[in-house]
């Protein structure tokens, strides 16, 4: 038989022998307390800095983001969370370790906010996932961001317009015609 306390998420297992059913084995007495997981209030990626920090990402260079993670203890007793591993990548689940946070012990109702810098390696394009996982493998959160190298898109569009426009051909014809006519005649 198992019982779970909803305020602390602790689980206790006790032996239980039903009556009237002969020959059933009894479960051994195991007392295991499962630590509760912190509640994720918010997990989002933001763009720090101004345009001077972002221009390399416009052309596919590295992009800098900050993960703002807020955790809360929803229980009525202190919660020893331990550490949270934050991973980043294009895959789901992401595989590149960004940081390992030592959350420590959260008092009942206490919130704790972390600001974790993360760099998306070049070439940056597409969707990236960020995941937080407790030491026991429990997924705490997953969020994502999308980046498009708009500078490359604009340059490609301008180059295409220049190649398609009649202006370069008109200039070439004028030079050819003026060079063909002898001067002074």
């Amino acid at each position: 038989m198992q019982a779970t306390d909803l305020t602390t998420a602790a689980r206790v297992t006790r032996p239980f022998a039903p009556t009237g059913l002969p020959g059933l084995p009894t479960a051994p007495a195991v007392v295991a307390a499962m630590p509760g997981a912190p509640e994720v209030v918010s997990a989002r990626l933001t763009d720090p800095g101004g345009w001077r920090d972002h221009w390399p990402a416009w052309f596919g260079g590295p992009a800098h983001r900050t993960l703002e993670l807020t955790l809360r203890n929803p229980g009525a007793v202190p919660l020893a969370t331990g550490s949270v591993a934050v991973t980043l990548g294009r895959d789901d689940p992401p595989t590149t370790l960004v940081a390992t946070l030592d959350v420590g012990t959260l008092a009942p109702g206490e919130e704790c906010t972390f600001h974790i810098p993360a760099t998306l390696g070049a070439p940056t394009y597409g969707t990236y996932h960020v995941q937080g996982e407790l030491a026991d493998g429990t997924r705490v959160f997953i969020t994502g961001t999308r980046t498009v190298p708009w500078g490359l898109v604009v340059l490609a569009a301008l180059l295409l317009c220049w190649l398609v426009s009649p202006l370069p051909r008109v200039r070439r014809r004028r030079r050819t015609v003026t060079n063909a006519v002898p001067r002074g005649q």
Side-chain angles (χ1 to χ4, degrees):
M1 178 174 89
Q2 288 185 0
T4 303
D5 182 3
L6 297 177
T7 59
T8 63
R11 184 181 302 163
V12 177
T13 304
R14 296 278 184 211
F16 176 72
T19 57
L21 298 173
L24 287 179
T26 59
V30 177
V31 178
M34 185 184 96
E39 177 184 355
V40 177
V41 176
S42 69
R44 63 187 182 113
L45 288 166
T46 60
D47 295 335
W51 67 272
R52 291 181 184 171
D53 296 333
H54 294 293
W55 74 266
W58 296 347
F59 299 97
H64 302 286
R65 303 286 190 266
T66 298
L67 172 66
E68 292 180 3
L69 175 65
T70 303
L71 302 174
R72 176 179 34 207
N73 177 1
V77 295
L79 177 63
T81 302
S83 63
V84 176
V86 178
T87 54
L88 168 75
R90 287 193 180 125
D91 303 329
D92 186 17
T95 55
T96 305
L97 182 66
V98 174
T100 303
L101 305 172
D102 183 22
V103 178
T105 303
L106 296 174
E110 179 183 8
E111 287 188 7
C112 188
T113 301
F114 298 94
H115 298 278
I116 303 115
T119 301
L120 312 176
T124 55
Y125 63 90
T127 303
Y128 289 82
H129 302 280
V130 179
Q131 172 180 299
E133 200 173 90
L134 292 174
D136 65 353
T138 305
R139 183 186 283 187
V140 178
F141 70 90
I142 188 160
T143 186
T145 186
R146 184 168 173 77
T147 181
V148 177
W150 290 112
L152 289 178
V153 173
V154 169
L155 281 178
L158 289 174
L159 180 63
L160 182 65
C161 289
W162 183 77
L163 290 174
V164 173
S165 76
L167 188 59
R169 290 185 294 246
V170 170
R171 286 185 183 165
R172 271 188 251 131
R173 273 193 237 135
R174 285 185 185 165
R175 284 188 203 140
T176 307
V177 171
T178 45
N179 290 342
V181 177
R183 293 183 185 225
Q185 290 182 347

